[in-house]
């Protein structure tokens, strides 16, 4: 075999190796999801969603867990979205190019690399004991909001940066102030990117276990938080913010760490639902990104 | 005539009002930007202030050199070494998976794959990186460990090997995506020069693109290490929770992160030494990850500036 043939053969061999590595990685994802669904199948029914945790594996469900997760995500979104978008707008539209801005930027990058359990310790020391939030939904939601803040900021900045300069300049030429340019033109144009970043952030937050274990999520809860809706004026109550909680990943962790194999089935069922939700949110974000990229051509 | 007088008074008032509102809003936006700085400062402040009482009990020297970590026993010993060893072993196993797999995938996507394949595969890899870590923990305990037990007879049900392998799979998408970015930053002129000399794709990839992107690839590894060090749930589920000073990945052991989880699961009073010990452990974790993150940051900056 000549030199050229040998080199070309190496090319083909690498294509096979590369494809194999890719397929192996994706096969893991597929096998994982399939295994969770198959193992958890006996427990995947309506009763699983409407029962509380129980000592008996066959009667246990995830009612408290999914309600807790939904409320925590609500708090996380309400804190992370305004804070993250505002910080990103400041950095892209307002910030002067100086050392002070550089410090903020380095901090955002740095926060993205801090392990999630450190956020849990921060929240335990700060939110739970110093701010007196207690081991509550409010503390959990705020913690996860801090955790996804860098994701929201980076996504928003990219979306805002993609708005063409002439749009801003046209608005300035008509006498708009900087905030008017931002609020009336830049933000509406970049809403798709902001939304995508928010969904990616929430899909990360929904599966985070370590930080909310650290602040003291309970793994056995047989009641729901106070209802956010009341029959009397003003029809809304925020008492649930201070309630103790459990969440989907906590419930799954609790079940997976029990030696009883029947609880393993519950863990698989909870995992299938949790993974399904994460993949759905990511899929939605990818689809949104794809759509916005295709439709917008100014 | 003064040009100001040609503008109606009402309009001037409106401009003044809008400018004032702009200044208020700018201050609010700046405050949001400062939240990131505040968060970093708060992390350092909380970890240090809560760990200080711990170091009043335990001399730093003992903390760093003692080979036993039994803070919740009647006769407590506070040597961080067993936890650091557990963390290093799982991280090392993870890297053995993530470095080769991540690099091969990055080279394939950047130099070999068609545009179309890339468009499909990158989101799929992103999803692999989005799987909740507790689900990966289940994967390690319920799928990988039984499989490994067939290959290695006598492997305990909890072991660092299985946890490390799964963490490795978990950070493959991350390593691949950062390395691919670095490879794509290599200018096309360099590839074309290589092709013009008669090199094949594989030769161009390994002798021109990879060396050109080396600092970026190194950054990908370093950021991957930082992820693996901070990973919590996989080890908490699958590696066992006993502190164990060993370099043998087939044994069970606790890591810094899984120790923090284990203590948090119990109900510790605010001022107990157990409570303080998780902040001391967290401080060590933060220092390790921070060192890797800074190194990675410097390296990525370098490869972005070269071209």
């Amino acid at each position: 075999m000549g030199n050229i043939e040998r080199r070309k053969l190496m090319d083909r061999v690498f294509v096979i190796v590369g494809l194999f590595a890719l397929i192996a990685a994706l096969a893991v994802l597929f096998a994982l999801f399939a295994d969770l669904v198959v193992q958890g199948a006996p427990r995947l029914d309506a009763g699983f969603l409407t029962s509380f945790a129980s000592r008996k594996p066959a009667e246990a469900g995830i009612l408290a867990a999914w309600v807790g997760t939904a409320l925590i995500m609500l708090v996380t979104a309400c804190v992370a979205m305004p804070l993250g978008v505002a910080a990103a707008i400041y950095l892209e539209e307002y910030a002067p190019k100086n050392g002070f801005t550089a410090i903020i930027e380095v901090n955002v990058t740095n926060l993205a690399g801090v392990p999630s359990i450190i956020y849990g310790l921060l929240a335990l020391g700060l939110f739970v004991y110093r701010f007196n939030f207690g081991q509550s939904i409010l503390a959990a939601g705020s913690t996860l909001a801090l955790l996804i803040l860098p994701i929201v900021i980076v996504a928003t900045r990219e979306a805002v940066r993609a708005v063409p300069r002439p749009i801003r300049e046209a608005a300035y030429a008509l006498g708009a102030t900087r905030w008017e340019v931002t609020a009336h033109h830049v933000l509406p144009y970049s809403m798709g990117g902001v939304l995508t970043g928010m969904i990616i952030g929430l899909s990360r937050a929904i599966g985070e276990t370590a930080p909310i274990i650290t602040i003291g999520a309970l793994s056995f809860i047989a009641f729901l938080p106070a209802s956010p809706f009341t029959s009397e004026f003003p029809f809304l109550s925020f008492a649930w913010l201070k309630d103790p909680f459990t969440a989907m990943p906590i419930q799954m962790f609790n079940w997976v760490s029990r030696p009883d194999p029947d609880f393993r089935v519950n863990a698989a069922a909870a995992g299938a639902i949790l993974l399904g939700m994460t993949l759905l949110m990511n899929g939605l974000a990818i689809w949104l990104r794809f759509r916005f990229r295709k439709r917008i051509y100014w | 005539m003064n040009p100001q007088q040609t503008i109606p008074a009402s309009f001037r008032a409106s401009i003044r009002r809008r400018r004032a509102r702009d200044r208020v809003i700018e201050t609010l936006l700046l405050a949001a930007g400062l939240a990131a700085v505040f968060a970093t400062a708060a992390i350092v402040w909380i970890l240090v202030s809560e760990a200080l009482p711990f170091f009043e009990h335990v001399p730093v020297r003992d903390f760093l050199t003692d080979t036993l970590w039994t803070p919740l026993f009647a006769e407590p010993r506070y040597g961080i070494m067993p936890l650091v060893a557990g963390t290093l072993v799982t991280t090392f196993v993870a890297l053995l998976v993530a470095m080769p797999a991540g690099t091969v995938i990055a080279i394939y996507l950047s130099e070999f794959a068609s545009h179309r394949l890339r468009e499909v595969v990158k989101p799929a890899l992103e999803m692999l990186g989005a799987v909740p870590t507790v689900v990966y923990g289940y994967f390690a305990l319920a799928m990988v460990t039984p499989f490994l037990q067939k290959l290695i007879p006598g492997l305990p049900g909890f072991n660092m090997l299985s946890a490390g392998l799964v963490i490795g799979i978990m950070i493959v998408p991350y390593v691949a995506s950062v390395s691919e970015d670095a490879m794509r930053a290599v200018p096309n002129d360099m590839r074309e020069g290589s092709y013009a000399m008669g090199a094949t794709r594989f030769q161009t990839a390994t002798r021109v693109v990879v060396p050109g992107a080396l600092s970026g690839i190194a950054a990908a590894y370093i950021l991957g290490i930082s992820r693996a060090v901070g990973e919590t749930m996989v080890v908490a589920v699958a590696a066992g929770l006993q502190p164990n000073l060993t370099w043998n990945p087939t044994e069970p052991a606790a890591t810094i992160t899984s120790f923090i989880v284990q203590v948090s699961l119990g109900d510790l009073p605010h001022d107990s030494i157990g409570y303080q010990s998780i902040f001391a452990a967290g401080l060590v974790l933060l220092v390790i990850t921070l060192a890797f993150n800074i190194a990675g940051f410097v390296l990525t900056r370098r490869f972005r500036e070269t071209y």
Side-chain angles (χ1 to χ4, degrees):
Chain A
M1 198 161 39
N3 184 23
I4 292 180
E5 280 80 31
R6 206 167 47 237
R7 282 156 48 194
K8 287 195 168 159
L9 182 71
M10 277 303 289
D11 253 35
R12 282 194 292 273
V13 168
F14 186 79
V15 168
I16 294 168
V17 172
L19 267 178
F20 175 77
L22 254 183
I23 291 170
L26 299 180
V28 165
L29 183 62
F30 183 77
L32 183 52
F33 193 48
D35 182 74
L36 287 172
V37 171
V38 170
Q39 299 288 325
R43 302 288 300 123
L44 281 170
D45 53 31
F48 192 59
L49 296 177
T50 54
S51 320
F52 287 109
S54 162
R55 245 174 278 280
K56 295 183 201 115
E59 287 170 19
I62 54 168
L63 179 59
W66 73 256
V67 172
T69 287
L71 291 174
I72 292 169
M73 287 304 112
L74 185 66
V75 175
T76 303
C78 289
V79 176
M81 177 108 171
L83 208 56
V85 172
I89 287 176
Y90 178 78
L91 288 173
E92 279 303 315
E93 301 286 307
Y94 285 79
K97 264 211 175 310
N98 58 21
F100 179 70
T101 308
I103 289 177
I104 299 183
E105 295 197 358
V106 167
N107 268 294
V108 173
T109 319
N110 173 50
L111 280 179
V114 172
S116 62
I117 194 154
I118 299 281
Y119 283 94
L121 291 176
L122 164 70
L124 181 64
L126 192 68
F127 295 149
V128 176
Y129 288 114
R130 284 195 171 73
F131 291 176
N132 273 321
F133 286 1
Q135 301 178 328
S136 64
I137 291 175
L138 179 62
S142 318
T143 311
L144 295 182
L146 273 187
L147 186 74
I148 66 169
L149 200 58
I151 301 176
V152 179
I153 292 179
V154 169
T156 308
R157 289 187 71 175
E158 268 170 22
V160 165
R161 211 177 301 149
V163 177
R165 271 226 81 80
I167 288 186
R168 290 187 185 83
E169 275 156 14
Y172 281 130
L174 293 173
T177 63
R178 192 175 280 208
W179 172 245
E180 284 164 348
V181 172
T182 307
H184 300 171
H185 302 281
V186 175
L187 264 186
Y189 273 115
S190 51
M191 217 51 219
V194 175
L195 211 65
T196 314
M198 197 63 214
I199 297 173
I200 298 266
L202 285 180
S203 90
R204 163 100 193 268
I206 206 171
E208 274 298 342
T209 322
I212 46 180
I213 287 184
T214 314
I215 59 173
L218 303 173
S219 44
F220 189 90
I221 281 199
F223 56 88
L224 289 181
S227 165
F229 307 104
T230 52
S231 54
E232 294 149 40
F233 189 78
F235 305 111
L236 281 177
S237 149
F238 290 100
W240 53 271
L241 282 172
K242 291 289 240 172
D243 282 344
F245 65 97
T246 187
M248 291 284 293
I250 304 286
Q251 188 63 68
M252 177 172 179
F253 174 58
N254 178 264
W255 280 334
V256 89
S257 37
R258 292 193 193 204
D260 184 348
D262 287 345
F263 277 112
R264 202 59 76 69
V265 176
N266 287 10
I273 295 172
L274 187 61
L275 183 56
M277 287 199 290
T278 323
L279 294 185
L280 210 67
M281 287 168 89
N282 269 275
L284 181 68
I286 289 164
W287 180 74
L288 275 176
R289 196 162 50 199
F290 188 69
R291 254 188 78 110
F292 283 115
R293 205 171 48 186
K294 236 174 55 175
R295 214 180 44 189
I296 297 176
Y297 37 95
W298 41 58
Chain B
M1 198 166 73
N2 187 347
Q4 284 280 313
Q5 285 166 352
T6 61
I7 302 171
S10 63
F11 188 59
R12 267 198 310 242
S14 147
I15 291 178
R16 261 201 307 279
R17 206 172 48 244
R18 284 156 56 209
R19 287 205 178 132
R21 189 182 63 185
D22 252 48
R23 274 193 295 276
V24 173
I25 288 173
E26 181 167 351
T27 316
L28 289 177
L29 294 177
L30 172 63
L34 286 177
V37 182
F38 161 78
T40 309
I43 288 175
V44 175
W45 172 57
I46 291 284
L47 287 182
V48 170
S49 69
E50 301 279 340
L52 272 183
F54 175 84
F55 287 111
E56 279 163 17
H57 275 274
V58 183
V60 175
R61 210 189 132 82
D62 288 2
F63 182 67
L64 294 178
T65 55
D66 197 341
T67 53
L68 276 180
W69 178 263
T70 53
L72 306 177
F73 284 18
E75 267 178 53
R77 297 275 292 273
Y78 302 99
I80 193 77
M81 275 313 286
L83 299 184
V84 172
T87 302
L88 291 182
V89 171
T90 48
T91 303
F92 182 72
V93 174
L95 282 181
L96 288 184
V97 177
M99 276 172 40
T103 314
V104 165
I105 290 177
I107 294 177
Y108 182 78
L109 284 179
S110 150
E111 306 299 315
F112 286 80
S114 66
H115 176 72
R116 207 164 180 190
L117 183 70
R118 206 161 36 222
E119 288 285 292
V120 177
V121 167
K122 287 200 82 174
L125 276 178
E126 220 175 286
M127 285 200 172
L128 187 66
V131 173
T133 53
V134 65
V135 173
Y136 273 123
Y138 170 91
F139 177 59
L141 184 68
M143 292 172 75
V144 176
T145 298
F147 175 72
L148 288 176
Q149 278 171 328
K150 280 183 204 143
L151 299 179
I152 311 169
L155 187 72
F158 295 109
N159 61 79
M160 293 189 280
L161 182 62
S162 156
L165 289 178
V166 171
I167 295 175
I169 294 172
M170 200 179 99
I171 58 176
V172 161
Y174 190 70
V175 173
S177 128
V178 178
S179 321
E180 199 215 331
D181 283 348
M183 289 180 199
R184 302 190 109 210
V186 174
N188 256 331
D189 298 358
M190 289 172 68
R191 288 190 187 87
E192 278 154 16
S194 165
Y195 288 135
M197 304 302 287
T200 60
R201 266 180 190 239
F202 184 68
Q203 284 175 314
T204 307
T206 50
R207 298 191 194 170
V208 175
V209 178
V210 170
L214 209 58
S215 65
I217 297 172
Y221 293 163
I222 287 172
L223 296 175
I225 293 175
S226 159
R227 289 263 163 127
V229 167
E231 171 43 39
T232 309
M233 295 321 291
V234 176
V235 277
V237 170
L241 294 165
Q242 256 73 51
N244 181 3
L245 184 54
T246 174
W247 303 105
N248 178 1
T250 59
E251 284 185 37
T255 65
I256 302 176
T257 52
S258 71
F259 165 73
I260 298 174
V261 164
Q262 187 195 14
V263 171
S264 307
L265 284 171
D267 213 5
L268 277 182
H270 181 37
D271 47 5
S272 66
I273 185 119
Y275 172 86
Q276 291 154 1
S277 73
I278 62 177
F279 285 92
L283 197 58
V284 173
L285 180 66
L286 183 69
V287 169
I288 297 176
T289 51
L290 203 63
F292 282 119
N293 283 341
I294 291 172
F297 182 69
V298 170
L299 283 171
T300 41
R301 187 165 255 201
R302 175 136 37 110
F303 88 72
R304 284 204 180 114
E305 276 168 5
T306 316
Y307 304 111

Coordinates of all heavy atoms in Angstrom, one line a residue, chain A residues 1 22 39 41 46 51 66 82 86 96 101 106 113-114 125 151 157 161 171 174 185 202 212-213 225-226 266 291:
Chain A
M1 N 0.9 -1.2 0.0 CA 0.0 0.0 0.0 C 0.9 1.2 0.0 O 1.8 1.4 0.8 CB -0.9 0.0 1.2 CG -2.0 0.9 1.1 SD -3.4 0.5 2.2 CE -2.7 0.1 3.7
L22 N -19.6 9.7 18.7 CA -20.9 10.5 18.7 C -22.1 9.6 19.0 O -22.9 10.0 19.9 CB -21.1 11.1 17.3 CG -20.8 12.6 17.1 CD1 -21.2 13.0 15.7 CD2 -21.7 13.4 18.1
Q39 N -38.3 0.8 33.4 CA -38.2 0.5 34.8 C -39.4 1.1 35.6 O -39.9 0.5 36.5 CB -36.9 0.9 35.5 CG -35.7 0.3 34.9 CD -35.6 -1.2 35.2 OE1 -35.9 -1.6 36.3 NE2 -35.1 -2.0 34.3
A41 N -42.3 2.1 34.4 CA -43.6 2.0 33.8 C -44.7 1.5 34.8 O -45.8 2.1 34.7 CB -43.5 1.0 32.6
A46 N -51.8 8.0 36.7 CA -52.3 9.3 37.3 C -52.2 9.3 38.8 O -51.9 10.3 39.4 CB -53.8 9.4 36.9
S51 N -50.6 11.3 44.5 CA -50.3 10.8 45.9 C -49.1 11.4 46.5 O -48.2 11.8 45.8 CB -50.1 9.2 45.9 OG -51.0 8.6 44.9
W66 N -43.9 17.5 42.8 CA -44.1 18.3 41.5 C -44.7 19.7 41.8 O -44.4 20.7 41.2 CB -44.8 17.6 40.4 CG -46.3 17.3 40.5 CD1 -46.9 16.1 40.8 CD2 -47.4 18.2 40.3 NE1 -48.3 16.3 40.8 CE2 -48.6 17.6 40.4 CE3 -47.4 19.6 39.9 CZ2 -49.8 18.2 40.3 CZ3 -48.7 20.2 39.7 CH2 -49.9 19.5 39.9
P82 N -36.1 39.3 35.6 CA -35.8 40.7 35.6 C -34.4 41.0 35.9 O -33.7 41.9 35.2 CB -36.7 41.2 36.7 CG -37.3 40.1 37.4 CD -37.1 38.9 36.6
A86 N -32.0 42.7 33.1 CA -31.6 44.1 33.4 C -30.0 44.1 33.4 O -29.4 45.1 32.9 CB -32.1 44.5 34.8
P96 N -20.1 51.7 30.2 CA -18.9 52.3 29.5 C -17.8 51.2 29.5 O -17.8 50.3 30.3 CB -18.5 53.4 30.4 CG -19.0 53.1 31.8 CD -20.2 52.3 31.5
T101 N -16.6 47.9 34.4 CA -17.5 47.0 33.6 C -16.8 45.7 33.5 O -17.4 44.6 33.6 CB -17.7 47.6 32.2 OG1 -18.2 48.9 32.4 CG2 -18.7 46.8 31.5
V106 N -16.2 39.8 34.4 CA -15.4 38.7 35.0 C -16.2 37.9 36.0 O -16.2 36.7 36.1 CB -14.1 39.2 35.6 CG1 -13.4 38.1 36.5 CG2 -13.1 39.6 34.5
G113 N -19.0 29.2 36.6 CA -18.2 28.1 36.9 C -18.2 27.6 38.3 O -17.6 26.6 38.7
V114 N -18.9 28.3 39.2 CA -19.0 27.9 40.6 C -19.9 26.7 40.7 O -21.0 26.6 40.2 CB -19.5 29.0 41.5 CG1 -19.8 28.6 42.9 CG2 -18.6 30.2 41.5
G125 N -26.2 29.9 54.4 CA -25.6 30.9 55.3 C -26.4 32.2 55.1 O -26.6 32.9 56.1
I151 N -26.5 32.2 33.1 CA -27.1 31.6 31.8 C -28.0 32.7 31.2 O -27.9 33.0 30.0 CB -27.9 30.3 32.1 CG1 -26.9 29.3 32.7 CG2 -28.5 29.8 30.8 CD1 -27.6 28.0 33.1
R157 N -27.5 38.8 26.5 CA -26.5 39.7 25.9 C -26.3 39.3 24.4 O -26.2 40.1 23.5 CB -25.2 39.5 26.6 CG -25.1 40.2 27.9 CD -23.8 40.1 28.5 NE -22.9 41.1 27.8 CZ -21.6 41.3 28.2 NH1 -21.1 40.7 29.2 NH2 -20.9 42.2 27.5
R161 N -27.1 41.8 21.4 CA -26.0 42.1 20.5 C -26.4 41.9 19.0 O -25.9 42.5 18.1 CB -24.8 41.3 20.8 CG -23.5 42.0 20.6 CD -22.3 41.2 21.0 NE -22.4 40.9 22.4 CZ -21.8 39.8 23.0 NH1 -21.3 38.9 22.2 NH2 -21.9 39.6 24.3
A171 N -33.9 55.1 15.8 CA -34.7 55.6 17.0 C -34.0 56.8 17.7 O -34.7 57.8 18.0 CB -34.8 54.5 18.0
L174 N -34.7 60.0 15.9 CA -36.1 60.6 16.1 C -36.2 61.2 17.5 O -37.3 61.5 17.9 CB -37.1 59.5 15.9 CG -37.2 59.1 14.4 CD1 -38.2 57.9 14.3 CD2 -37.6 60.2 13.5
H185 N -37.4 49.1 21.1 CA -36.9 48.5 19.9 C -36.0 47.3 20.2 O -36.3 46.2 19.7 CB -36.1 49.6 19.1 CG -37.0 50.7 18.7 ND1 -37.8 50.6 17.7 CD2 -37.1 51.9 19.3 CE1 -38.5 51.8 17.6 NE2 -38.1 52.6 18.6
L202 N -34.1 27.6 33.2 CA -35.1 26.9 34.0 C -34.9 25.4 33.9 O -35.1 24.7 34.9 CB -36.5 27.3 33.7 CG -37.0 28.7 34.1 CD1 -38.4 29.0 33.7 CD2 -36.8 28.8 35.7
I212 N -30.5 22.6 46.7 CA -31.7 22.6 47.6 C -31.7 21.6 48.7 O -32.4 21.7 49.7 CB -33.0 22.6 46.8 CG1 -33.1 21.6 45.7 CG2 -33.3 24.0 46.2 CD1 -34.4 21.6 45.0
I213 N -30.8 20.5 48.5 CA -30.6 19.6 49.7 C -29.9 20.4 50.8 O -30.2 20.3 52.0 CB -29.8 18.4 49.3 CG1 -30.6 17.5 48.4 CG2 -29.3 17.7 50.5 CD1 -29.9 16.2 48.1
P225 N -48.0 23.0 50.1 CA -47.8 24.4 50.6 C -49.2 25.1 50.5 O -50.1 24.7 49.8 CB -46.9 25.0 49.6 CG -46.3 23.9 48.8 CD -47.2 22.8 48.9
A226 N -49.3 26.2 51.3 CA -50.5 27.0 51.3 C -50.9 27.4 49.9 O -50.0 27.7 49.0 CB -50.3 28.3 52.1
N266 N -39.9 3.4 41.9 CA -40.4 4.8 42.0 C -39.4 5.8 41.5 O -39.8 6.8 40.9 CB -40.7 5.1 43.5 CG -42.0 4.4 44.0 OD1 -42.5 3.5 43.2 ND2 -42.4 4.7 45.1
R291 N -36.3 28.7 15.0 CA -37.4 29.5 14.3 C -37.0 30.9 14.2 O -37.2 31.5 13.2 CB -38.7 29.4 15.2 CG -39.7 28.5 14.6 CD -41.0 28.7 15.4 NE -41.6 30.0 15.1 CZ -42.7 30.1 14.4 NH1 -43.4 29.0 14.1 NH2 -43.3 31.2 14.1

